[in-house]
Amino acid sequence: MSPLASSMFTPGIDQIASDLGVDQVAVVGAATGYVIFLGIGPLVLAPLSETFGRRKLYLWCFGAFSILQIPTALSPNIQAFLLARTVSGFFGSWSIPSCVIQFKGIGIANGGGTISDMFHPSERAGVFGWYLLGPVIGPSLGPLFGGLIVEYLGWRWIFWILSIVCTCNTILGFIFLQETYAPVILESRRDNLEKKTGNRYRIVDEDERPFRRKLASSMNRPIRILFTQPIVFIMAIYQAAIFGTSYSLYTNFQAIYGNVYGFSPTQVGLVYMATGAGFLLALWLVVPKIDTVYNTLTSRNHDEPKPEFRLPLANIGSVLIPISLFWLAWTVEYRIHWFVPVLSSTFYGFGQLTVFNTVQNYYIDSFAKYAASAIAAGALFRSIVGGFVPLVASTLFDKIGYGWGISTFGFLNLALAPLPVLFYYYGEKLRAKYAIEL
């Protein structure tokens, strides 16, 4: 629900701006605050999940995110709207229910940790593909639903409906969601056993530091990973470029297809489905092969697995992303029939899911027990860039046009495209050189 909410209001930007008496840039600022706090939230919440367990964090954030949709719907001015959206982004970073029991995916950082808890490396990528479908397809489905709601009910109903659906998700979470983090499960079993028998028991490899020291260590873990691990920092830059590109396009589709092609809000919402189709195609054609490639390379390496074996298929996405951006840029610039630029979004979505899936699996395999913190570290940089770039994208497009404006993002992604190849060959050396004790 959180990624869905990140873009659901975009077809209503004009209506929100008119109702609250501000310009469109101020309303886009709500997306900026939301997306930035999607990245900041895991810095706090990911290490807490490695201290208190995944389930508690899911449920706390499910509830908070549901409640915060109410003041957003009731916002009397832009200040209240921005504040409510920004704070909900913090809790939204963790409030996406498990795909096992609900249909929208799982927490962006906590989900990676949950999958690391539950599945062997040889089968993670396929499961992770379904997990990642929520965070990446949510922003594609959001404008479709948002366009319908804005056109027939008004923009405030977007947040009333979100509150209702999220509350139902929270209730389902309380009923069905189970703890998956092994240290917390073992601690719970030990405590129950001690109560029954009166004896004292010890967990093998238990962290026996005082609680405050454990918590402090957990809280700074994502930052340590981000700034001491080149594989995370550099790949976070790549993901940030893709994230910034995506949100710049999503927040401008209304202008592109509404103003250039004369689409209604509902029709603009349907355009986002092209990107969603690309996600589904990647999930069908590429994601199942990530485990296949990983297992094949492992067998060739005398059954010694390496996280870098996740990366070969990322090259498909790294090529498709800049190609699709140049395609979109110049077909819109020359006002080619709307179907042609819309089709480019399908290839963009295909490339985006391919890169994100392989990179997130790379993080999980590289940091295993602390996968949630590693993903949170990457999410911070990604979300900050993804939040701020849309603020300048509209100005960029106005000044130099859609052709060179979107091509700017194409050139950026083209420059970063070789990264999966470079890390495939040099990632192991970098991990060994910059190894740290977490």
Side-chain angles (χ1 to χ4, degrees), residues 284-314:
W284 178 38
L285 297 174
V286 175
V287 171
K289 302 299 182 183
I290 296 175
D291 280 334
T292 303
V293 171
Y294 176 84
N295 293 332
T296 300
L297 292 173
T298 298
S299 64
R300 291 179 183 175
N301 194 44
H302 309 292
D303 291 326
E304 288 291 330
K306 296 180 183 179
E308 286 71 27
F309 294 162
R310 296 293 186 187
L311 294 176
L313 293 181

mmCIF file of all heavy atoms in Angstrom, residues 284-314:
data_model
loop_
_atom_site.group_PDB
_atom_site.id
_atom_site.type_symbol
_atom_site.label_atom_id
_atom_site.label_comp_id
_atom_site.label_asym_id
_atom_site.label_seq_id
_atom_site.Cartn_x
_atom_site.Cartn_y
_atom_site.Cartn_z
ATOM 1 N N TRP A 284 7.919 -12.489 -15.158
ATOM 2 C CA TRP A 284 7.646 -13.756 -15.837
ATOM 3 C C TRP A 284 8.876 -14.284 -16.578
ATOM 4 O O TRP A 284 9.212 -15.474 -16.498
ATOM 5 C CB TRP A 284 6.483 -13.545 -16.815
ATOM 6 C CG TRP A 284 6.125 -14.751 -17.630
ATOM 7 C CD1 TRP A 284 6.119 -16.064 -17.223
ATOM 8 C CD2 TRP A 284 5.715 -14.761 -18.999
ATOM 9 N NE1 TRP A 284 5.731 -16.882 -18.257
ATOM 10 C CE2 TRP A 284 5.470 -16.115 -19.359
ATOM 11 C CE3 TRP A 284 5.511 -13.775 -19.946
ATOM 12 C CZ2 TRP A 284 5.048 -16.483 -20.630
ATOM 13 C CZ3 TRP A 284 5.078 -14.147 -21.212
ATOM 14 C CH2 TRP A 284 4.861 -15.486 -21.543
ATOM 15 N N LEU A 285 9.597 -13.396 -17.267
ATOM 16 C CA LEU A 285 10.655 -13.840 -18.166
ATOM 17 C C LEU A 285 12.048 -13.857 -17.533
ATOM 18 O O LEU A 285 12.870 -14.707 -17.867
ATOM 19 C CB LEU A 285 10.693 -12.938 -19.414
ATOM 20 C CG LEU A 285 9.445 -12.949 -20.295
ATOM 21 C CD1 LEU A 285 9.572 -11.899 -21.393
ATOM 22 C CD2 LEU A 285 9.220 -14.332 -20.894
ATOM 23 N N VAL A 286 12.327 -12.907 -16.631
ATOM 24 C CA VAL A 286 13.689 -12.746 -16.125
ATOM 25 C C VAL A 286 13.872 -13.256 -14.709
ATOM 26 O O VAL A 286 14.817 -14.001 -14.413
ATOM 27 C CB VAL A 286 14.134 -11.269 -16.207
ATOM 28 C CG1 VAL A 286 15.513 -11.080 -15.577
ATOM 29 C CG2 VAL A 286 14.145 -10.797 -17.647
ATOM 30 N N VAL A 287 12.972 -12.855 -13.815
ATOM 31 C CA VAL A 287 13.160 -13.150 -12.392
ATOM 32 C C VAL A 287 13.356 -14.633 -12.103
ATOM 33 O O VAL A 287 14.260 -15.004 -11.338
ATOM 34 C CB VAL A 287 11.999 -12.573 -11.560
ATOM 35 C CG1 VAL A 287 12.064 -13.065 -10.121
ATOM 36 C CG2 VAL A 287 12.049 -11.046 -11.597
ATOM 37 N N PRO A 288 12.582 -15.554 -12.709
ATOM 38 C CA PRO A 288 12.825 -16.985 -12.423
ATOM 39 C C PRO A 288 14.217 -17.450 -12.856
ATOM 40 O O PRO A 288 14.739 -18.439 -12.330
ATOM 41 C CB PRO A 288 11.736 -17.695 -13.237
ATOM 42 C CG PRO A 288 10.670 -16.669 -13.442
ATOM 43 C CD PRO A 288 11.405 -15.371 -13.581
ATOM 44 N N LYS A 289 14.813 -16.738 -13.824
ATOM 45 C CA LYS A 289 16.127 -17.137 -14.323
ATOM 46 C C LYS A 289 17.263 -16.674 -13.417
ATOM 47 O O LYS A 289 18.399 -17.153 -13.564
ATOM 48 C CB LYS A 289 16.346 -16.566 -15.723
ATOM 49 C CG LYS A 289 15.298 -16.980 -16.755
ATOM 50 C CD LYS A 289 15.274 -18.489 -16.945
ATOM 51 C CE LYS A 289 14.247 -18.884 -18.011
ATOM 52 N NZ LYS A 289 14.155 -20.351 -18.173
ATOM 53 N N ILE A 290 16.980 -15.734 -12.493
ATOM 54 C CA ILE A 290 18.047 -15.237 -11.624
ATOM 55 C C ILE A 290 18.576 -16.370 -10.742
ATOM 56 O O ILE A 290 19.787 -16.542 -10.585
ATOM 57 C CB ILE A 290 17.546 -14.058 -10.762
ATOM 58 C CG1 ILE A 290 17.179 -12.875 -11.664
ATOM 59 C CG2 ILE A 290 18.625 -13.631 -9.757
ATOM 60 C CD1 ILE A 290 16.568 -11.712 -10.928
ATOM 61 N N ASP A 291 17.666 -17.155 -10.169
ATOM 62 C CA ASP A 291 18.088 -18.324 -9.384
ATOM 63 C C ASP A 291 18.774 -19.358 -10.268
ATOM 64 O O ASP A 291 19.743 -19.999 -9.849
ATOM 65 C CB ASP A 291 16.883 -18.966 -8.687
ATOM 66 C CG ASP A 291 16.489 -18.230 -7.415
ATOM 67 O OD1 ASP A 291 17.363 -17.580 -6.806
ATOM 68 O OD2 ASP A 291 15.308 -18.303 -7.031
ATOM 69 N N THR A 292 18.263 -19.526 -11.495
ATOM 70 C CA THR A 292 18.868 -20.497 -12.417
ATOM 71 C C THR A 292 20.309 -20.128 -12.717
ATOM 72 O O THR A 292 21.222 -20.974 -12.658
ATOM 73 C CB THR A 292 18.068 -20.567 -13.729
ATOM 74 O OG1 THR A 292 16.710 -20.910 -13.437
ATOM 75 C CG2 THR A 292 18.665 -21.604 -14.675
ATOM 76 N N VAL A 293 20.534 -18.848 -13.041
ATOM 77 C CA VAL A 293 21.895 -18.377 -13.327
ATOM 78 C C VAL A 293 22.765 -18.515 -12.082
ATOM 79 O O VAL A 293 23.918 -18.965 -12.158
ATOM 80 C CB VAL A 293 21.861 -16.914 -13.817
ATOM 81 C CG1 VAL A 293 23.272 -16.340 -13.902
ATOM 82 C CG2 VAL A 293 21.175 -16.820 -15.174
ATOM 83 N N TYR A 294 22.226 -18.133 -10.933
ATOM 84 C CA TYR A 294 22.969 -18.210 -9.666
ATOM 85 C C TYR A 294 23.395 -19.651 -9.372
ATOM 86 O O TYR A 294 24.563 -19.919 -9.030
ATOM 87 C CB TYR A 294 22.084 -17.676 -8.546
ATOM 88 C CG TYR A 294 22.676 -17.777 -7.154
ATOM 89 C CD1 TYR A 294 23.542 -16.803 -6.669
ATOM 90 C CD2 TYR A 294 22.333 -18.840 -6.315
ATOM 91 C CE1 TYR A 294 24.073 -16.890 -5.387
ATOM 92 C CE2 TYR A 294 22.855 -18.937 -5.040
ATOM 93 C CZ TYR A 294 23.719 -17.952 -4.578
ATOM 94 O OH TYR A 294 24.234 -18.053 -3.307
ATOM 95 N N ASN A 295 22.466 -20.584 -9.505
ATOM 96 C CA ASN A 295 22.770 -21.985 -9.209
ATOM 97 C C ASN A 295 23.742 -22.576 -10.230
ATOM 98 O O ASN A 295 24.621 -23.380 -9.870
ATOM 99 C CB ASN A 295 21.470 -22.804 -9.182
ATOM 100 C CG ASN A 295 20.571 -22.403 -8.024
ATOM 101 O OD1 ASN A 295 21.042 -21.941 -6.989
ATOM 102 N ND2 ASN A 295 19.268 -22.572 -8.198
ATOM 103 N N THR A 296 23.603 -22.184 -11.501
ATOM 104 C CA THR A 296 24.523 -22.675 -12.537
ATOM 105 C C THR A 296 25.946 -22.193 -12.284
ATOM 106 O O THR A 296 26.910 -22.976 -12.349
ATOM 107 C CB THR A 296 24.056 -22.204 -13.930
ATOM 108 O OG1 THR A 296 22.754 -22.720 -14.186
ATOM 109 C CG2 THR A 296 25.014 -22.692 -15.009
ATOM 110 N N LEU A 297 26.092 -20.901 -11.995
ATOM 111 C CA LEU A 297 27.422 -20.353 -11.730
ATOM 112 C C LEU A 297 28.020 -20.932 -10.450
ATOM 113 O O LEU A 297 29.230 -21.140 -10.357
ATOM 114 C CB LEU A 297 27.346 -18.826 -11.637
ATOM 115 C CG LEU A 297 27.013 -18.109 -12.946
ATOM 116 C CD1 LEU A 297 26.805 -16.614 -12.705
ATOM 117 C CD2 LEU A 297 28.115 -18.327 -13.981
ATOM 118 N N THR A 298 27.163 -21.208 -9.465
ATOM 119 C CA THR A 298 27.642 -21.826 -8.228
ATOM 120 C C THR A 298 28.191 -23.224 -8.495
ATOM 121 O O THR A 298 29.260 -23.597 -7.988
ATOM 122 C CB THR A 298 26.508 -21.900 -7.186
ATOM 123 O OG1 THR A 298 26.085 -20.571 -6.857
ATOM 124 C CG2 THR A 298 26.971 -22.600 -5.919
ATOM 125 N N SER A 299 27.474 -23.998 -9.303
ATOM 126 C CA SER A 299 27.943 -25.356 -9.612
ATOM 127 C C SER A 299 29.252 -25.320 -10.398
ATOM 128 O O SER A 299 30.129 -26.172 -10.197
ATOM 129 C CB SER A 299 26.869 -26.123 -10.391
ATOM 130 O OG SER A 299 26.638 -25.522 -11.655
ATOM 131 N N ARG A 300 29.390 -24.333 -11.273
ATOM 132 C CA ARG A 300 30.640 -24.200 -12.030
ATOM 133 C C ARG A 300 31.799 -23.751 -11.143
ATOM 134 O O ARG A 300 32.962 -23.953 -11.492
ATOM 135 C CB ARG A 300 30.456 -23.196 -13.169
ATOM 136 C CG ARG A 300 29.543 -23.672 -14.291
ATOM 137 C CD ARG A 300 29.400 -22.593 -15.349
ATOM 138 N NE ARG A 300 28.467 -22.983 -16.417
ATOM 139 C CZ ARG A 300 28.091 -22.184 -17.402
ATOM 140 N NH1 ARG A 300 28.581 -20.943 -17.464
ATOM 141 N NH2 ARG A 300 27.246 -22.611 -18.316
ATOM 142 N N ASN A 301 31.457 -23.159 -10.022
ATOM 143 C CA ASN A 301 32.472 -22.658 -9.092
ATOM 144 C C ASN A 301 32.704 -23.649 -7.951
ATOM 145 O O ASN A 301 32.961 -23.259 -6.819
ATOM 146 C CB ASN A 301 32.041 -21.291 -8.536
ATOM 147 C CG ASN A 301 33.167 -20.558 -7.854
ATOM 148 O OD1 ASN A 301 34.288 -20.506 -8.355
ATOM 149 N ND2 ASN A 301 32.882 -19.992 -6.694
ATOM 150 N N HIS A 302 32.572 -24.958 -8.260
ATOM 151 C CA HIS A 302 32.786 -26.027 -7.281
ATOM 152 C C HIS A 302 31.822 -25.901 -6.097
ATOM 153 O O HIS A 302 32.201 -26.105 -4.949
ATOM 154 C CB HIS A 302 34.238 -26.034 -6.788
ATOM 155 C CG HIS A 302 35.252 -26.024 -7.891
ATOM 156 N ND1 HIS A 302 35.430 -27.097 -8.747
ATOM 157 C CD2 HIS A 302 36.118 -25.053 -8.292
ATOM 158 C CE1 HIS A 302 36.378 -26.801 -9.633
ATOM 159 N NE2 HIS A 302 36.818 -25.575 -9.380
ATOM 160 N N ASP A 303 30.577 -25.546 -6.422
ATOM 161 C CA ASP A 303 29.504 -25.412 -5.422
ATOM 162 C C ASP A 303 29.813 -24.359 -4.358
ATOM 163 O O ASP A 303 29.302 -24.444 -3.232
ATOM 164 C CB ASP A 303 29.209 -26.767 -4.762
ATOM 165 C CG ASP A 303 28.563 -27.742 -5.724
ATOM 166 O OD1 ASP A 303 27.779 -27.280 -6.585
ATOM 167 O OD2 ASP A 303 28.841 -28.941 -5.632
ATOM 168 N N GLU A 304 30.600 -23.355 -4.714
ATOM 169 C CA GLU A 304 30.878 -22.233 -3.820
ATOM 170 C C GLU A 304 30.084 -21.016 -4.302
ATOM 171 O O GLU A 304 30.441 -20.397 -5.301
ATOM 172 C CB GLU A 304 32.376 -21.909 -3.803
ATOM 173 C CG GLU A 304 33.238 -22.929 -3.085
ATOM 174 C CD GLU A 304 32.992 -22.938 -1.587
ATOM 175 O OE1 GLU A 304 32.650 -21.872 -1.036
ATOM 176 O OE2 GLU A 304 33.119 -24.014 -0.973
ATOM 177 N N PRO A 305 29.011 -20.658 -3.603
ATOM 178 C CA PRO A 305 28.200 -19.528 -4.068
ATOM 179 C C PRO A 305 28.870 -18.184 -3.791
ATOM 180 O O PRO A 305 29.650 -18.045 -2.855
ATOM 181 C CB PRO A 305 26.911 -19.668 -3.248
ATOM 182 C CG PRO A 305 27.343 -20.346 -1.992
ATOM 183 C CD PRO A 305 28.460 -21.288 -2.380
ATOM 184 N N LYS A 306 28.568 -17.214 -4.633
ATOM 185 C CA LYS A 306 29.029 -15.842 -4.448
ATOM 186 C C LYS A 306 27.854 -14.896 -4.690
ATOM 187 O O LYS A 306 27.057 -15.133 -5.616
ATOM 188 C CB LYS A 306 30.154 -15.488 -5.427
ATOM 189 C CG LYS A 306 31.442 -16.272 -5.255
ATOM 190 C CD LYS A 306 32.459 -15.810 -6.299
ATOM 191 C CE LYS A 306 33.749 -16.615 -6.207
ATOM 192 N NZ LYS A 306 34.725 -16.164 -7.244
ATOM 193 N N PRO A 307 27.732 -13.840 -3.910
ATOM 194 C CA PRO A 307 26.652 -12.865 -4.160
ATOM 195 C C PRO A 307 26.694 -12.293 -5.575
ATOM 196 O O PRO A 307 25.647 -11.970 -6.147
ATOM 197 C CB PRO A 307 26.916 -11.774 -3.116
ATOM 198 C CG PRO A 307 27.630 -12.470 -2.009
ATOM 199 C CD PRO A 307 28.488 -13.500 -2.686
ATOM 200 N N GLU A 308 27.892 -12.176 -6.145
ATOM 201 C CA GLU A 308 28.024 -11.611 -7.497
ATOM 202 C C GLU A 308 27.328 -12.445 -8.561
ATOM 203 O O GLU A 308 27.045 -11.941 -9.662
ATOM 204 C CB GLU A 308 29.509 -11.463 -7.860
ATOM 205 C CG GLU A 308 30.218 -10.320 -7.160
ATOM 206 C CD GLU A 308 30.444 -10.574 -5.672
ATOM 207 O OE1 GLU A 308 30.546 -11.764 -5.269
ATOM 208 O OE2 GLU A 308 30.514 -9.594 -4.913
ATOM 209 N N PHE A 309 27.029 -13.702 -8.256
ATOM 210 C CA PHE A 309 26.331 -14.546 -9.215
ATOM 211 C C PHE A 309 24.887 -14.090 -9.433
ATOM 212 O O PHE A 309 24.196 -14.615 -10.313
ATOM 213 C CB PHE A 309 26.357 -16.007 -8.763
ATOM 214 C CG PHE A 309 27.734 -16.621 -8.763
ATOM 215 C CD1 PHE A 309 28.001 -17.782 -8.043
ATOM 216 C CD2 PHE A 309 28.773 -16.049 -9.481
ATOM 217 C CE1 PHE A 309 29.270 -18.351 -8.042
ATOM 218 C CE2 PHE A 309 30.050 -16.610 -9.488
ATOM 219 C CZ PHE A 309 30.295 -17.767 -8.771
ATOM 220 N N ARG A 310 24.413 -13.107 -8.633
ATOM 221 C CA ARG A 310 23.074 -12.543 -8.819
ATOM 222 C C ARG A 310 23.039 -11.502 -9.943
ATOM 223 O O ARG A 310 21.957 -11.140 -10.416
ATOM 224 C CB ARG A 310 22.604 -11.857 -7.531
ATOM 225 C CG ARG A 310 22.434 -12.768 -6.342
ATOM 226 C CD ARG A 310 21.305 -13.730 -6.544
ATOM 227 N NE ARG A 310 21.042 -14.525 -5.350
ATOM 228 C CZ ARG A 310 20.188 -15.538 -5.313
ATOM 229 N NH1 ARG A 310 19.515 -15.878 -6.400
ATOM 230 N NH2 ARG A 310 19.997 -16.226 -4.202
ATOM 231 N N LEU A 311 24.190 -11.000 -10.366
ATOM 232 C CA LEU A 311 24.236 -9.780 -11.171
ATOM 233 C C LEU A 311 24.169 -9.932 -12.691
ATOM 234 O O LEU A 311 23.849 -8.944 -13.364
ATOM 235 C CB LEU A 311 25.501 -8.989 -10.811
ATOM 236 C CG LEU A 311 25.549 -8.437 -9.386
ATOM 237 C CD1 LEU A 311 26.888 -7.770 -9.130
ATOM 238 C CD2 LEU A 311 24.408 -7.462 -9.156
ATOM 239 N N PRO A 312 24.485 -11.073 -13.297
ATOM 240 C CA PRO A 312 24.542 -11.102 -14.768
ATOM 241 C C PRO A 312 23.289 -10.587 -15.469
ATOM 242 O O PRO A 312 23.393 -9.834 -16.442
ATOM 243 C CB PRO A 312 24.782 -12.591 -15.071
ATOM 244 C CG PRO A 312 25.564 -13.081 -13.897
ATOM 245 C CD PRO A 312 24.960 -12.358 -12.712
ATOM 246 N N LEU A 313 22.110 -10.970 -14.980
ATOM 247 C CA LEU A 313 20.886 -10.562 -15.673
ATOM 248 C C LEU A 313 20.567 -9.083 -15.488
ATOM 249 O O LEU A 313 19.724 -8.536 -16.207
ATOM 250 C CB LEU A 313 19.713 -11.424 -15.210
ATOM 251 C CG LEU A 313 19.797 -12.901 -15.602
ATOM 252 C CD1 LEU A 313 18.582 -13.671 -15.114
ATOM 253 C CD2 LEU A 313 19.928 -13.058 -17.113
ATOM 254 N N ALA A 314 21.239 -8.436 -14.526
ATOM 255 C CA ALA A 314 21.037 -6.993 -14.363
ATOM 256 C C ALA A 314 21.428 -6.228 -15.619
ATOM 257 O O ALA A 314 20.928 -5.118 -15.869
ATOM 258 C CB ALA A 314 21.837 -6.475 -13.172
#
